[in-house]
Amino acid sequence: MVTSTNLLKKSIFALSIFIVVLFAIFPFIQMLSTSLKYQWDWGNPSLIPSKLNIDAYKELLNIGQAEKEVPQSVLNLLEENTELSKKQKKEILDKYKSTGDVFPFFKFFFNSLILAFSSAFISVLIAIFGAYSFSRVRYKGRGIIQRSVLLVYMFGPILLLIPLYILSAKFGLISTSVGAFITLMTIYMVLTLPVSLYMLGNYFRTIPYSIEESALIEGCSRFGVIWRIVIPLSISIIVTVFIYAFMIAWNEYLFASVFLKSFAELNTLPLGLRQLFVSKNAIWDRIMAASMLSAIPVIVLFMLIQKQLTGGMTAGGVKE
Amino acid sequence: MNSDSVISKSIFTRGSILEDREKKFGWFLILPSLIIIVSLVLYPIVYNIFLSFFEVKVTGNNEFTGIQNHLNIITDPAFWQSVTTSIVYVLFTTLGTTLVGLCVALLMNRKFPLRGLVRSLILLPYVAPVIAVVYSWQFIFDPVNGIFMHIAYDKLHLFTERINLIRSPDTSIYVAILFGIWKNFPFSYLMILAGLQAIDTGLYEAAEIDGCKGWQKFRYITFPEIYFLLGSIILLRAIWNFNKFEEVFLLTQNVKVLPIYTYLKAFTGIMDIGHGAAIAMIQFILLIGFILIYVKRVLKW
């Protein structure tokens, strides 16, 4: 009797866990499944493709696209024509490789990578000193500073978007592609700075002060303490905060859509994906494959820092 | 004793020169962060208020119009429509994420095999880029191919025809709310779980001796212990959901919450920045009002 109610309880528990996990990851499974299906297979509710289709990935990653789209007559013509040099032949062939224009994945990926990496790097660098200042150094006014950083949590992106757009337009920053790119990078840095300050500040408080004190007694300078003791001791949380800031910038759409509107060559992955969806090239398997490719870097990074991040998020403030 | 008092003992007793140096050092370190936040967050907010009194031209001079922008906005029925949409959206997403988050946290507070894996999996909605998951949702609710209509129409006969829930104006808000809950419940779950784990297990043991059953334990111990935590999480989520743009805009064009209304006014068609700034300002005032009432009533500060 006891064991049977226990068994029932256990299976209800297992079932609830299963439902929660399914709820959380079903859209990801659906994404993967559709990205691997042929068009005739889309309506099939089964998540396992009847026949595996990796064309969408090949197309986006530009693998084996070289000869596929070139009409046979052109190939024949090129072969018969001996007067053309190799270089000229290649140029003609390149004209038929149109898929790069549909969704130049690597270009978007590269743009996103530079933006997210540089903004996260600068944000964390500035935050290390700022967080050390208000978690360790004692002076008047640091409480107010700490609270005003908290205040930034309340401002929605839309409230900042309008004034920042007008300011950068009036200063002529968004009339050139380089200017727009740097402006956007600075904005991402600002958006990630509060969370970096908070998570680092909360961690620095847990480092025993006696370690720093003994270094000071040994003749280490205050900067030396930060450089030789605080940073090495908190390297794992620094990496975590960096990756979190990186993810915020990587995922951002709104600011990018406004600031990079007239610079197609600088578009980030989210912008490219949006354009793919609204263009005539929108085909489900292609969209899903592009979604997978945009999500995978973030998911991999997240898995690397998962434990640290959940600790850091719950210990202090966290901003989206 | 916290580290602050240790610092003060070890350094400040040595005299005011050190104290002064300490102060300079502190300001020196915080200065870059401070300059950035003041010049790129606080100043723009003030500038936004300033802009709302002008007819703004991206190139050329702005034209002062007083409170005309604000008046135009608050007499526009579309604005109030948008306020209503926002309230509905914020109310249901906030309650939904908190409720789902609480249930999941209660489940995850027990030990079971593969818990580590389950933990990472259920955080995925929160960390994945919005843009990468909206299209998967679009596909799930696609009237022709989607699994939702396959189940709801073919199997359960809940609908009389296969309709596009995301495209149709009446139903899109429900999908947006569901999407918001799905995307953000991991955050609430994480915070609540941290709160649950901080509860002294002795309390439960004492309650068991007094003959408390499962529900009573939740009602009389767990809930009071995490009341203020829940209150703060709801507040944070309400603020963030009120400011949400991408999660709604990228999923559906039909749910015009306030940030989307602002965006459409300011950046599409005839770009009307002045009106956009006015809406953003009114939106912010509404938010502050809500926060003040909430903090007083629920958090009892």
Side-chain angles (χ1 to χ4, degrees), chain B residues 20-64:
Chain B
D20 196 44
R21 216 203 258 169
E22 181 83 355
K23 190 177 153 188
K24 275 192 186 141
F25 182 67
W27 278 103
F28 178 69
L29 288 182
I30 196 79
L31 210 60
S33 310
L34 213 57
I35 291 172
I36 288 168
I37 288 175
V38 169
S39 63
L40 294 170
V41 178
L42 299 181
Y43 171 67
I45 304 265
V46 176
Y47 187 61
N48 181 71
I49 297 173
F50 172 80
L51 282 178
S52 72
F53 293 102
F54 287 85
E55 196 191 318
V56 181
K57 300 190 176 84
V58 178
T59 46
N61 288 328
N62 299 339
E63 203 178 299
F64 184 76

Side-chain angles (χ1 to χ4, degrees), chain B residues 26-27 39 42 62 76 156 159 198 206 224 233-234 245 272 286 301:
Chain B
W27 278 103
S39 63
L42 299 181
N62 299 339
D76 184 0
L156 301 175
F159 296 90
I233 293 170
I234 289 175
F245 175 83
D272 195 345
L286 290 177
W301 281 354

Side-chain angles (χ1 to χ4, degrees), chain A residues 12 28 57 85 108 121 135 139 224 247 265-266 278 281 315:
Chain A
I12 290 175
F28 295 97
Y57 287 98
S85 71
F108 295 150
F121 183 80
S135 65
Y139 53 91
M247 279 164 36
E265 76 281 2
L266 291 177
V278 296
N281 295 311

Side-chain angles (χ1 to χ4, degrees), chain A residues 71-309:
Chain A
Q72 195 56 45
S73 56
V74 176
L75 281 179
N76 290 342
L77 212 76
L78 283 176
E79 211 144 292
E80 284 160 19
N81 200 335
T82 45
E83 279 166 33
L84 290 167
S85 71
K86 257 195 177 158
K87 199 180 158 217
Q88 283 169 311
K89 279 183 181 174
K90 196 176 168 294
E91 270 171 11
I92 293 172
L93 280 174
D94 277 346
K95 283 193 180 150
Y96 286 92
K97 290 192 228 166
S98 62
T99 45
D101 303 334
V102 175
F103 188 76
F105 174 78
F106 287 110
K107 196 168 82 184
F108 295 150
F109 183 90
F110 193 63
N111 290 339
S112 279
L113 188 72
I114 295 181
L115 259 179
F117 188 91
S118 45
S119 57
F121 183 80
I122 301 171
S123 161
V124 170
L125 193 70
I126 294 172
I128 287 174
F129 297 108
Y132 184 83
S133 167
F134 68 55
S135 65
R136 269 291 195 258
V137 190
R138 254 177 82 104
Y139 53 91
K140 249 192 200 153
R142 70 169 191 171
I144 296 168
I145 293 170
Q146 230 173 321
R147 272 190 290 267
S148 56
V149 173
L150 235 181
L151 198 73
V152 177
Y153 283 157
M154 295 199 324
F155 303 135
I158 198 83
L159 192 61
L160 288 172
L161 178 64
I162 291 173
L164 286 176
Y165 176 77
I166 293 297
L167 285 172
S168 8
K170 300 239 150 146
F171 284 114
L173 289 169
I174 49 173
S175 50
T176 64
S177 57
V178 178
F181 201 71
I182 292 175
T183 311
L184 192 60
M185 198 192 81
T186 315
I187 291 172
Y188 285 170
M189 196 255 301
V190 176
L191 294 181
T192 53
L193 190 62
V195 69
S196 308
L197 280 169
Y198 256 82
M199 283 167 91
L200 289 174
N202 282 324
Y203 189 82
F204 289 163
R205 280 193 201 97
T206 65
I207 300 173
Y209 190 70
S210 52
I211 303 177
E212 286 171 49
E213 206 173 24
S214 53
L216 283 175
I217 292 166
E218 306 249 327
C220 205
S221 70
R222 293 297 306 249
F223 269 114
V225 168
I226 298 179
W227 182 244
R228 296 216 184 98
I229 291 167
V230 176
I231 292 179
L233 275 178
S234 37
I235 194 71
S236 67
I237 195 79
I238 290 173
V239 171
T240 304
V241 172
F242 171 79
I243 292 179
Y244 193 64
F246 181 93
M247 279 164 36
I248 293 177
W250 180 274
N251 295 351
E252 209 280 334
Y253 171 83
L254 177 61
F255 282 95
S257 78
V258 170
F259 282 83
L260 299 178
K261 203 195 268 172
S262 35
F263 307 105
E265 76 281 2
L266 291 177
N267 277 359
T268 58
L269 267 177
L271 288 181
L273 205 51
R274 177 76 181 169
Q275 274 154 20
L276 174 67
F277 184 71
V278 296
S279 75
K280 61 179 169 35
N281 295 311
I283 303 170
W284 280 119
D285 58 345
R286 199 182 273 157
I287 294 169
M288 292 298 160
S291 298
M292 277 305 282
L293 291 173
S294 317
I296 284 171
V298 176
I299 291 173
V300 169
L301 285 175
F302 167 72
M303 288 300 171
L304 290 177
I305 57 159
Q306 196 253 116
K307 264 211 177 109
Q308 290 285 339
L309 182 68

